[in-house]
Amino acid sequence: LAKTTQPISMDSYEGQEVNITCSHNNIATNDYITWYQQFPSQGPRFIIQGYKTKVTNEVASLFIPADRKSSTLSLPRVSLSDTAVYYCLWGTGGGNKLTFGTGTQLKVEL
Amino acid sequence: DTGVSQDPRHKITKRGQNVTFRCDPISEHNRLYWYRQTLGQGPEFLTYFQNEAQLEKSRLLSDRFSAERPKGSFSTLEIQRTEQGDSAMYLCASSQGSGAGAEAFFGQGTRLTVV
């Protein structure tokens, strides 16, 4: 199973940068690292995905070191609406089932 | 087609009754997944289809659960003889392709309450 470890919760304030780190020591050569966001009573929403080094899109950046045993999701200048649970997953993405952990509950305050 | 659609959004049923949920994936997606999520936990994989073929089932999918995807389009998940432990959010997702890195799109889920 694609077991990951990430903090259970994090607190931040509006306008700050938030970094959530996930460890995936047993990642396989073909595995991608994917992050999802979930609001209460909604399905998870894809945020970003990467294989190595750095990936950036309009909402986040994903940093993956050379050994790929961890990854860091970076959310620049968070707002209250970023309060959600963030899941780190690794595997072959849509090619196979996604294995979710318990995620990181991010709480953003004023 | 703006996303994955699930129906109903909420279902309350008495213990022992059968329930059926429907999922309409994004139209061009060939893969469809079912997950179950309980409060405070991440989604748990139940099963997935590639087109109409059911390729994998989790051990969580007991004999009371059955999923179908006739014609490789919409899918149904049926739970027979519901139990209180079946109360959860049931999520459907779809993706296109089987290669690494394919993004899965989730629906808003069906929340089942068994009383």
Side-chain angles (χ1 to χ4, degrees):
Chain A
L1 292 180
K3 182 172 175 58
T4 59
T5 302
Q6 53 185 120
I8 293 174
S9 64
M10 295 182 70
D11 294 328
S12 184
Y13 294 96
E14 276 203 316
Q16 291 192 330
E17 178 184 80
V18 171
N19 297 309
I20 306 174
T21 298
C22 175
S23 66
H24 24 79
N25 293 322
N26 297 322
I27 193 168
T29 303
N30 293 333
D31 288 338
Y32 278 68
I33 297 156
T34 311
W35 286 79
Y36 279 79
Q37 175 193 55
Q38 186 176 28
F39 298 110
S41 299
Q42 293 189 23
R45 183 176 72 102
F46 174 92
I47 301 175
I48 197 167
Q49 184 178 75
Y51 184 78
K52 61 180 179 180
T53 63
K54 178 183 176 182
V55 179
T56 297
N57 62 22
E58 62 276 7
V59 297
S61 295
L62 179 60
F63 299 91
I64 305 168
D67 66 7
R68 305 198 329 118
K69 293 184 182 300
S70 67
S71 62
T72 299
L73 173 73
S74 181
L75 304 172
R77 298 179 300 281
V78 294
S79 65
L80 293 176
S81 62
D82 293 317
T83 294
V85 179
Y86 293 82
Y87 295 98
C88 162
L89 300 89
W90 54 265
T92 51
N96 284 297
K97 64 186 180 185
L98 299 173
T99 302
F100 290 81
T102 52
T104 297
Q105 171 67 65
L106 172 65
K107 182 179 180 181
V108 180
E109 299 175 292
L110 289 172
Chain B
D1 189 340
T2 57
V4 177
S5 177
Q6 292 189 246
D7 183 69
R9 290 292 311 279
H10 303 275
K11 178 72 176 178
I12 299 174
T13 190
K14 292 183 178 180
R15 189 174 54 187
Q17 297 295 304
N18 299 343
V19 294
T20 300
F21 309 140
R22 177 179 171 122
C23 172
D24 287 274
I26 294 173
S27 57
E28 64 269 22
H29 285 185
N30 60 353
R31 291 215 166 194
L32 186 147
Y33 308 79
W34 284 99
Y35 287 79
R36 180 175 70 184
Q37 186 173 27
T38 54
L39 195 62
Q41 301 297 314
E44 298 174 292
F45 171 80
L46 293 178
T47 188
Y48 87 88
F49 294 81
Q50 179 162 319
N51 300 314
E52 66 276 10
Q54 188 173 18
L55 297 186
E56 186 173 348
K57 293 193 296 185
S58 164
R59 58 179 175 80
L60 295 174
L61 215 64
S62 74
D63 291 344
R64 297 185 295 106
F65 288 70
S66 63
E68 295 182 343
R69 194 185 182 195
K71 305 178 183 178
S73 56
F74 72 92
S75 176
T76 58
L77 177 68
E78 181 183 17
I79 308 174
Q80 296 182 327
R81 304 181 303 282
T82 52
E83 302 173 356
Q84 287 188 322
D86 297 331
S87 295
M89 174 78 85
Y90 289 84
L91 294 162
C92 176
S94 69
S95 68
Q96 173 59 26
S98 58
E103 177 184 341
F105 293 81
F106 283 81
Q108 293 192 306
T110 293
R111 181 167 295 284
L112 173 66
T113 302
V114 181
V115 296

